Amino acid sequence: MFSMKTHRPLAAVALAVAVIAMWVPRPAAGQATVADLRLVADASGTPIEPAPAPPGEKLYHFDTGVDKIHVAFDIDGAEPTEVEIRITGLMGAILYQEPFSYDSPGTKIVTFDNKGVALEDNEYVVNAYVGADRYLADSLQLTIGQAVIPTSQVGAQAPSVPTPQATLGATSGPTTGSAGTGPLSGWTLVAAVAGMLALFGVVVWAGWSAMRRG
């Protein structure tokens, strides 16, 4: 039989794990899922071939002069679902952030319209978040013009010069949305994990101290 001295650190660890689990983002029970996030040529969903990328990565490249980005994704499930599409540039600058509500499955298309102003030759990240807790469901990377993502970010097989792709069409998308002001999701996740680890250490240290005093 375990003594009280043994129970105290074990209880501390269990408490820390429970607290950390409360902070880990996850889809709500019964919530529809979002998959196959991709870029398309126009609001009708004309496919675009992605650029070469390592397994598990999605990379697209467009020529200079693009002023619209058409984002497509599939919803699986009939439950009402809120999806937020977010497009960020360098240093986490948010160019587009707009939530949409869907109550039926199928392919959905969202359009970011930069009002006739060509997007800069740059690197961009497109993320799809699901639900009120903004669970990250899917993500892809985009380069425009002369921009090239370093091979350390997309793997050794990425080409040094992006493969030319079809230029986005000028057809207006179903929505235009407005730019947001939220922080870059990656930094938010890093900060959350760091906080969890710090909390875990404090709880375990407290349990160990209690055991030694017991």
Side-chain angles (χ1 to χ4, degrees):
M1 182 179 295
F2 290 113
S3 67
M4 288 300 295
K5 291 183 179 181
T6 304
H7 283 167
R8 287 173 180 171
L10 291 177
V13 171
L15 175 61
V17 171
V19 171
I20 291 174
M22 292 174 60
W23 284 89
V24 175
R26 57 191 183 277
Q31 180 173 274
T33 60
V34 168
D36 196 16
L37 183 71
R38 58 198 183 276
L39 300 185
V40 292
D42 49 45
S44 66
T46 303
I48 293 178
E49 188 71 19
E57 299 287 343
K58 287 187 284 187
L59 175 63
Y60 289 81
H61 178 76
F62 294 137
D63 295 332
T64 299
V66 169
D67 64 352
K68 295 183 181 71
I69 297 178
H70 303 281
V71 183
F73 52 90
D74 297 329
I75 291 183
D76 178 16
E79 292 294 328
T81 303
E82 185 173 274
V83 179
E84 179 179 286
I85 298 299
R86 186 181 304 175
I87 302 175
T88 58
L90 286 179
M91 306 302 293
I94 297 178
L95 304 181
Y96 179 81
Q97 179 176 310
E98 190 75 15
F100 302 89
S101 295
Y102 302 99
D103 56 6
S104 62
T107 297
K108 313 297 179 182
I109 299 176
V110 172
T111 297
F112 165 49
D113 187 345
N114 206 34
K115 308 300 183 182
V117 179
L119 294 168
E120 295 182 2
D121 288 9
N122 213 334
E123 307 164 19
Y124 300 88
V125 175
V126 181
N127 288 335
Y129 300 90
V130 178
D133 56 354
R134 295 298 184 267
Y135 166 77
L136 180 60
D138 207 348
S139 181
L140 61 83
Q141 293 175 288
L142 166 67
T143 58
I144 294 179
Q146 297 301 313
V148 178
I149 296 178
T151 56
S152 60
Q153 295 184 29
V154 296
Q157 299 301 317
S160 57
V161 178
T163 302
Q165 301 293 329
T167 301
L168 285 177
T171 305
S172 298
T175 56
T176 56
S178 58
T181 57
L184 180 62
S185 60
W187 286 112
T188 301
L189 180 59
V190 170
V193 172
M196 292 182 218
L197 293 176
L199 176 61
F200 178 82
V202 170
V203 173
V204 172
W205 177 82
W208 180 255
S209 298
M211 182 194 74
R212 295 186 62 184
R213 290 196 302 269

